[in-house]
Amino acid sequence: MSNSSFEITMPKVDLNYTSAKTPVHSDPNPEAKPLPKVTIDGKAYEFKPGDTIMQVAERYNLHEDIPRYCYHPGMPIAGTCRMCTVEVEKAPKLMTSCSTPAGDGMVVHTRSEKVLKSRNGVMDFLLANHPLDCPVCDKAGECELQDYTFEYGPQESNFKEEKRVFKEATTKKLSDKVTLNMNRCVHCERCVRFTDDVTKTNDLVMLNRGWHKELAATDEKVGLTNDYQGCLTDFCPVGALTFNDFRFEKRVWFLDKKPSLCDGCSKGCNIEVHHDKEIVQRYMPIYNEKVNGHWMCDEGRLSYHTYADADRIVSPLVHDQASGRLASTNWETASQVVNAKVKSATKTLVVLGTDATTEEGMLVKGAFANRAEVKYHSGFGDNKALDHLLRQSDKTPNTNGLKAIGLSPLAPTDINGNDLVIVIRQGRARLPKVEGQDVILVGVYSREEIETLKTSNVRVHAVLPSLATIEKDGSFTNCDGHTQSFTAAVTHRGKSLAMPRILAALVGEKR
Amino acid sequence: MMYNNEHFEPVITPNVSKPGCETIDFYIKNEDGYKALEKALKMKPAEVVDEVKKSNLRGRGGAGFPTGMKWSFMPPNPVDGQGNPKPKYLVCNADEGEPGTFKDRLIFTKTPHRMIEGMIIGGHAIGSNKGFIYVRGEWFKECRLMQKAIDDAYAKGFLGKNILGSGFNFDLVIYKGAGAYICGEETALLNSLEGKRGEPRLKPPFPAQVGAYGMPSCVNNVETFAAVPYILHKGWEKYAKMGTERSGGTRMIGVSGHVHKPGVYELPMNLSINEIIEIAGGVKGGKLKAVIPGGASAPMLKASECTVLTDYDSLAKAGTMAGSGGIIVMNDTVCIPEATYTLLKFYEHESCGQCSQCREGSHWLARMFKRILDGGGTQDDLDYIAKICGNMAGQTICAFADAVTGPALSSVRKFRSEFEELILRGGLKGINREESVSHKMGGAHV
């Protein structure tokens, strides 16, 4: 081309990946300008200028009234599924509530006849090519297609043609974590927008167009590479993307759901622990604007395996002089043994892993106040963010919390000169390097860890199992300084005890 | 006077049959080329917009939106968040993909400078210094010719810096699409221009606020731009007089199908479809059965309805649309369900697949028509076609879903007896008709 070079700059759009879900109220000061109001189904609601109708509904917990596929509060608006249409008075056509900005004095009907007919039409189209394989689909029970069919859909379909089948994408592993079944896809493209705009890894694309539009990894050989793949399966409205770890493990209606915190890193993402009869099946993120938004990373999502591990030590172990092995015993025996050991030691050091709750930290500090020095230890060094979203380099949840109660970090030379080291650690912090001292381990350990210690000639005197994060109450202070408390999500089924009773055993006091 | 309109004279095509008409020398020598530009550059931008407004020029791409008004929507001095001025872009939509429409190609190959001049004037009017010509992917030859024309215009100083000493700069770039019908929709075109998937954007924001590369943009059809030099050169009164009360000027009509002389005709708007068919040599090989008046997405008209005039408003009143000016004539040897199926197959293939209704509906309709042709149809299907169309029309981001329902719904409504007969007799075989070749070819989708 003969003409001059073009300078084209793209406007920078910052993504707000945490959308507010709290109502807004006008300034009570009579001179202040009141907030605009929109009427939804006959009731007026105040909103912040710039909100879409959907966002207003979200603020006031009316989200049940507006079904949606492509809309997700943490992603840019697409407006393509056409499920969230509402009737706006004076507008000639139905409007998509996700993309239409609310206006002052606007009157919105979410359940008029016209709206319901439109939603019924959309469901008719989406179900036409859907395989309806709910009995073998993992999403059944938490599937938006099922729910909305029940609520809005047609009872029967006149689709007599052969259904669309993506032969090569019926069970396709997009990575070792996520499986794709393209036949079930409703083409909402949440997943594509997630990898484009949230993780910014551009892992997924839609190939082709029209009715044979197909989801695929951008590079088929590499597959999905982002660290938040589990989120894809959370917000996939149908069973198109399923998480391999949970796939075919449990029907979702058997699951009990309890809120807790993820202790996989110093971010402290809010999670829901899904368990059946106290057996944890998966973690799912729950929305917290200040901490994790809508997401959580895969590492944290899979971290429940540490606690649900068959090799986790859930019974006290004591070193048996005769056989030279650690042998399982009861708490009475273990208490006597460790108590004697603690009393006979001349100099004791307590290394508190930064995966302990702040309350546990205070208990430990109090229990050993005149007996031993207490230092905290994470083993991961200073914390830094690993990406622009959530992941942190410090893989323990409470470094800031223990720092706040006045504990100091473990220096490499601190261990020397002690003849007993008590390591308290709940499965996340790294073990300190111990050479030549007697060691009492308290907390969450796996058989493998103990065996590694033994082969490296560490004299483990006793192992006292305690409760894991999801099994106890407490609070963590995350890397940004937010303190979050949590309660037990599951009941521990082994012989592990809560920290106060273990401390009592150690120092020989009734607590 | 010809065509029963004493004001009429060809605006765009007076010389297209003459040899060498595509060259810049011919355009300057014989057609007063770039005189309008000279005049426009001496005027203020607002005056140019006003001139176009008064001429009643309406967009020739299909929707028929008044061009002057579109230009006046462009913000005068856009700034970004930091207060820096934002560039404005002028985009020419040359993605002519509507089946039955081929008027823009004639302009590209025979009188490209008219369009270039129109674009420069447009750029002056809206205050843009950069123009894109988005060309349909299949137009290889046309693209080369247009690039030659642009190079010539640069050489003569009509493009580039300081055009004709006025201080106004304007650059033109050709961008080739990848051959998707939907990229003729202006926001899908802008996405494609940016290198994204050709999928229509949500509106608002409209392109006049957030267009190509996030900047205010104005998208117009080739024919619209080609009409602008005439308006500036000969005056808006003359242009407006040629047309009807609400839309000025002439229209390029591409007549195809069963006529003796198919081709592009530049015609006044006060002609009926029957008259246009006469001009195109009359119906070939039988009696007139149906006409699609404005490209494939316009609902069909029965032979008895063909007395309707071809201006925007009359056609809209008749339940169809003027669209892009492609008239497809069908004689009585045509099996309407089969012809509709051909169109639906096109739409099934070209739907971008964003909106649920359009993606699934276009597929569903095409399969349904195919089943009826194959003899598997039932009378209920005809009612269900109407229901599907009702669920599709007006519910999607762009007008594609309406375009699909246009032929599907109108054919079933207006030629229902034909469908019923086809269903009763068990498909095309039952009426002693071979499946036409085109169906067999398109059977396996790419």
Side-chain angles (χ1 to χ4, degrees), chain A residues 416-436:
Chain A
N416 303 339
N418 295 298
D419 57 352
L420 176 64
V421 179
I422 300 174
V423 179
I424 304 176
R425 171 261 190 189
Q426 329 279 330
R428 297 285 176 238
R430 282 189 185 144
L431 291 171
K433 207 164 179 187
V434 185
E435 274 165 357

Side-chain angles (χ1 to χ4, degrees), chain B residues 3 27 65 71-72 99 123 133 154 214 221 231 245 344 412 433 442:
Chain B
Y3 307 141
Y27 183 58
F65 193 81
W71 287 3
S72 66
I133 306 176
Y154 267 107
N221 183 253
I231 296 169
E245 200 180 319
L344 287 177
V412 174
R433 211 185 144 83

Side-chain angles (χ1 to χ4, degrees), chain B residues 1-18:
Chain B
M1 184 83 188
M2 196 188 177
Y3 307 141
N4 197 16
N5 182 338
E6 73 262 36
H7 303 293
F8 175 76
E9 67 170 346
V11 169
I12 296 163
T13 59
N15 296 311
V16 287
S17 54
K18 297 190 181 136

Side-chain angles (χ1 to χ4, degrees), chain B residues 15-24 26-27 31 109-113:
Chain B
N15 296 311
V16 287
S17 54
K18 297 190 181 136
C21 61
E22 73 279 8
T23 59
I24 191 161
F26 182 96
Y27 183 58
E31 303 189 272
T109 49
K110 294 295 178 190
T111 173
H113 286 285

Side-chain angles (χ1 to χ4, degrees), chain A residues 94-370:
Chain A
L94 294 178
M95 311 294 275
T96 47
S97 61
C98 66
S99 67
T100 310
D104 196 11
M106 201 182 237
V107 183
V108 179
H109 302 284
T110 65
R111 281 177 185 261
S112 69
E113 199 183 330
K114 214 169 148 194
V115 171
L116 292 179
K117 186 174 167 283
S118 160
R119 290 180 188 165
N120 184 287
V122 176
M123 289 309 302
D124 202 5
F125 287 126
L126 291 180
L127 290 169
N129 274 310
H130 189 82
L132 302 176
D133 56 348
C134 307
V136 295
C137 175
D138 247 353
K139 201 79 177 184
E142 54 178 7
C143 170
E144 283 168 34
L145 195 69
Q146 274 185 336
D147 294 351
Y148 295 152
T149 305
F150 187 74
E151 200 167 351
Y152 305 100
Q155 300 295 314
E156 54 192 16
S157 173
N158 280 38
F159 188 75
K160 294 177 191 156
E161 277 59 48
E162 225 172 273
K163 295 211 180 210
R164 166 184 59 207
V165 176
F166 295 93
K167 285 202 180 85
E168 276 156 29
T170 300
T171 309
K172 186 160 135 192
K173 295 261 187 277
L174 289 179
S175 71
D176 55 354
K177 296 197 191 93
V178 173
T179 304
L180 167 70
N181 183 339
M182 194 58 208
N183 298 335
R184 293 175 185 154
C185 180
V186 293
H187 299 82
C188 69
E189 296 192 38
R190 279 180 186 172
C191 48
V192 179
R193 276 175 289 138
F194 178 76
T195 58
D196 283 356
D197 296 298
V198 180
T199 66
K200 301 185 200 287
T201 47
N202 302 75
D203 288 344
L204 290 169
V205 283
M206 280 285 179
L207 302 179
N208 304 329
R209 60 170 183 239
W211 68 282
H212 34 206
K213 194 171 183 180
E214 184 182 346
L215 181 71
T218 311
D219 186 341
E220 291 279 336
K221 283 178 198 144
V222 179
L224 281 172
T225 54
N226 72 63
D227 300 306
Y228 299 85
Q229 296 170 22
C231 299
L232 298 170
T233 64
D234 289 346
F235 56 65
C236 180
V238 290
L241 294 169
T242 44
F243 201 48
N244 290 349
D245 185 64
F246 182 67
R247 193 172 146 86
F248 302 141
E249 290 293 324
K250 200 52 133 182
R251 305 299 332 212
V252 296
W253 49 85
F254 292 122
L255 296 176
D256 275 337
K257 298 166 185 179
K258 292 275 170 59
S260 184
L261 283 190
C262 174
D263 58 0
C265 80
S266 56
K267 195 77 189 178
C269 295
N270 293 206
I271 55 164
E272 210 168 49
V273 178
H274 291 194
H275 69 96
D276 177 33
K277 301 190 180 74
E278 315 305 331
I279 297 169
V280 180
Q281 299 291 346
R282 62 173 172 184
Y283 286 173
M284 263 183 144
I286 43 181
Y287 175 74
N288 186 333
E289 188 184 347
K290 285 182 181 153
V291 181
N292 57 324
H294 302 269
W295 325 118
M296 79 181 290
C297 71
D298 291 336
E299 202 182 337
R301 190 182 292 265
L302 293 170
S303 66
Y304 76 88
H305 282 295
T306 317
Y307 302 143
D309 190 0
D311 274 352
R312 176 179 161 192
I313 294 188
V314 288
S315 159
L317 306 181
V318 169
H319 188 253
D320 183 20
Q321 292 290 357
S323 65
R325 293 173 56 206
L326 282 167
S328 171
T329 179
N330 58 18
W331 275 102
E332 283 76 19
T333 322
S335 304
Q336 283 163 14
V337 171
V338 295
N339 195 5
K341 190 78 199 166
V342 170
K343 279 192 175 137
S344 66
T346 50
K347 196 169 179 225
T348 309
L349 175 72
V350 179
V351 179
L352 182 60
T354 47
D355 40 13
T357 62
T358 310
E359 290 76 6
E360 284 173 345
M362 286 161 86
L363 282 173
V364 171
K365 202 177 153 196
F368 290 101
N370 303 317

Side-chain angles (χ1 to χ4, degrees), chain A residues 3-4 6 8 80-82 93 118 122 124 129 158 160-161 164 186-187 206 208-211 213, chain B residues 130 154 171-173 197 199 348-351 353-357 359-360 367 371 384 394-395:
Chain A
N3 40 20
S4 59
F6 280 72
I8 290 157
T80 56
C81 73
R82 319 306 285 178
K93 287 203 266 184
S118 160
V122 176
D124 202 5
N129 274 310
N158 280 38
K160 294 177 191 156
E161 277 59 48
R164 166 184 59 207
V186 293
H187 299 82
M206 280 285 179
N208 304 329
R209 60 170 183 239
W211 68 282
K213 194 171 183 180
Chain B
K130 279 156 196 178
Y154 267 107
D171 288 314
L172 262 184
V173 170
R197 274 178 78 89
E199 289 178 342
E348 177 199 23
H349 187 61
E350 293 293 345
S351 165
Q354 260 194 120
C355 305
S356 309
Q357 289 99 331
R359 177 184 64 247
E360 306 293 340
R367 298 296 105 188
R371 183 156 52 79
Y384 216 72
Q395 306 254 3

